[in-house]
Amino acid sequence: MVLDKPGKPSYNSPASFHIIVLLKMVSKILEQIMMVRLSTIAHSNGLPHPNQCDSLPGLSSHDGCLSLSHEVRTLQRPRLRVSTLVLDRKAGFDKVNAATLKALLLAKHTTTYMVNWISSLSSERSCTLIFQGSPNLPVPVSVGTLQGSPISPQLFLLYVAPLHSTIPRGVMLSYIDHFSITVASDSDRGNIRCLQRIFANIAEKGENLGISFSIPKTELIHWRTPSQRTLHSSALRELDGHLFHPSRVLWWLGYWLSPALTSTYHFRHRLLLVQAAFSFVK
């Protein structure tokens, strides 16, 4: 189903529409069963990276934010400057390549029947676009995971696991298509140079997987402690040919994080949203 996004100045671009995929309920039940089995196999074979906080039992966006806060505080203890770069994968679910995913699963000695089932799920698919004036003809689909399928988030999780790498003074965390890189050094400028190198590295790995990052949605924040009273530079920073200002408040996984990592800004903002909602109802 192709639905118009309201308020768009023009509808000449595919980005101006919502695509809602309708799947059969029987297939969803089977995919839910296989998702539970795949989760067990993935943990046994070490398929997901330890720093991935999504699509795994017992983990949520709250755990991702707590992990980020903990790592920042830990890196700040030796009186280092800490900075975080937040990236958003561009149309990540649509870029999953079935052959590459199969190779990744086989490399980790995943059970044969599971690999064959996932390959069958990802192959010989077709899609029919339904909107006014459409010809209603099926079109072959060779890449991407099924939108709305219970197992799709977990397949994407395993597909992007190779993007994670170890940072000597820092950490990478991810939640679905959101990716954060945190580094520490003696200066903000040193952090910027380090983040640029790491971004170039994961961008190259992502290119091999067909995954890219949305630079306009990229955010950079410099964390501070009470003893670090000097103001951080707000000068423009360059990343992949794009210039942007460091953020004063970072929005990540539904939480507003201030440079001092206090909860005041988050709860104040949430309170304002609740008050606005009550005013609208009245």
Side-chain angles (χ1 to χ4, degrees):
M1 297 291 296
V2 182
L3 306 177
D4 300 352
K5 291 182 180 179
K8 291 291 182 179
S10 173
Y11 291 92
N12 296 326
S13 168
S16 301
F17 300 89
H18 284 295
I19 309 296
I20 308 300
V21 180
L22 306 178
L23 303 177
K24 295 180 180 179
M25 290 303 300
V26 174
S27 66
K28 284 191 174 184
I29 295 172
L30 175 61
E31 289 157 19
Q32 179 69 30
I33 295 172
M34 297 301 285
M35 185 271 291
V36 175
R37 293 186 179 183
L38 178 60
S39 177
T40 304
I41 295 172
H43 276 292
S44 302
N45 294 7
L47 287 171
H49 193 276
N51 292 344
Q52 290 181 293
C53 306
D54 53 313
S55 305
L56 297 171
L59 292 176
S60 65
S61 59
H62 182 67
D63 296 295
C65 280
L66 286 178
S67 298
L68 177 61
S69 300
H70 172 75
E71 293 298 335
V72 169
R73 293 301 191 200
T74 301
L75 292 169
Q76 286 177 333
R77 285 172 190 165
R79 298 183 181 277
L80 296 174
R81 296 281 187 173
V82 183
S83 304
T84 295
L85 185 71
V86 172
L87 304 169
D88 193 345
R89 298 184 186 102
K90 189 187 300 182
F93 282 73
D94 300 334
K95 301 295 180 66
V96 176
N97 183 283
T100 304
L101 177 61
K102 181 178 180 179
L104 291 172
L105 294 174
L106 290 174
K108 290 288 187 176
H109 308 290
T110 307
T111 310
T112 304
Y113 86 88
M114 179 62 72
V115 176
N116 291 339
W117 185 87
I118 293 173
S119 298
S120 175
L121 180 71
S122 307
S123 61
E124 298 183 11
R125 292 162 42 208
S126 63
C127 176
T128 302
L129 297 178
I130 302 175
F131 59 94
Q132 185 175 3
S134 67
N136 291 337
L137 297 176
V139 178
V141 178
S142 58
V143 295
T145 58
L146 294 172
Q147 184 192 84
S149 171
I151 201 172
S152 288
Q154 196 165 87
L155 294 179
F156 181 74
L157 167 90
L158 303 179
Y159 188 76
V160 299
L163 293 181
H164 284 264
S165 59
T166 303
I167 306 174
R169 281 187 179 177
V171 66
M172 291 187 186
L173 297 170
S174 69
Y175 186 87
I176 309 179
D177 55 354
H178 300 284
F179 205 97
S180 73
I181 308 171
T182 302
V183 298
S185 69
D186 296 326
S187 67
D188 295 338
R189 190 177 296 275
N191 288 344
I192 294 295
R193 290 195 294 266
C194 184
L195 289 171
Q196 288 173 331
R197 290 195 300 269
I198 296 172
F199 174 79
N201 181 35
I202 66 170
E204 182 179 354
K205 290 182 180 179
E207 187 176 354
N208 296 331
L209 295 173
I211 298 291
S212 59
F213 297 93
S214 177
I215 298 301
K217 294 183 179 179
T218 298
E219 288 190 79
L220 167 70
I221 189 168
H222 299 298
W223 308 105
R224 65 175 176 81
T225 64
S227 62
Q228 295 170 344
R229 298 181 182 277
T230 56
L231 296 176
H232 295 294
S233 172
S234 60
L236 287 170
R237 302 299 181 186
E238 181 179 351
L239 187 67
D240 199 26
H242 295 263
L243 299 175
F244 58 94
H245 288 280
S247 302
R248 294 189 177 273
V249 177
L250 176 67
W251 187 85
W252 196 53
L253 307 184
Y255 293 86
W256 285 270
L257 305 174
S258 66
L261 280 176
T262 58
S263 58
T264 304
Y265 187 91
H266 173 76
F267 287 109
R268 183 184 301 165
H269 196 89
R270 298 292 297 181
L271 181 60
L272 291 175
L273 291 177
V274 171
Q275 291 175 342
F278 273 110
S279 300
F280 178 79
V281 171
K282 291 180 180 180

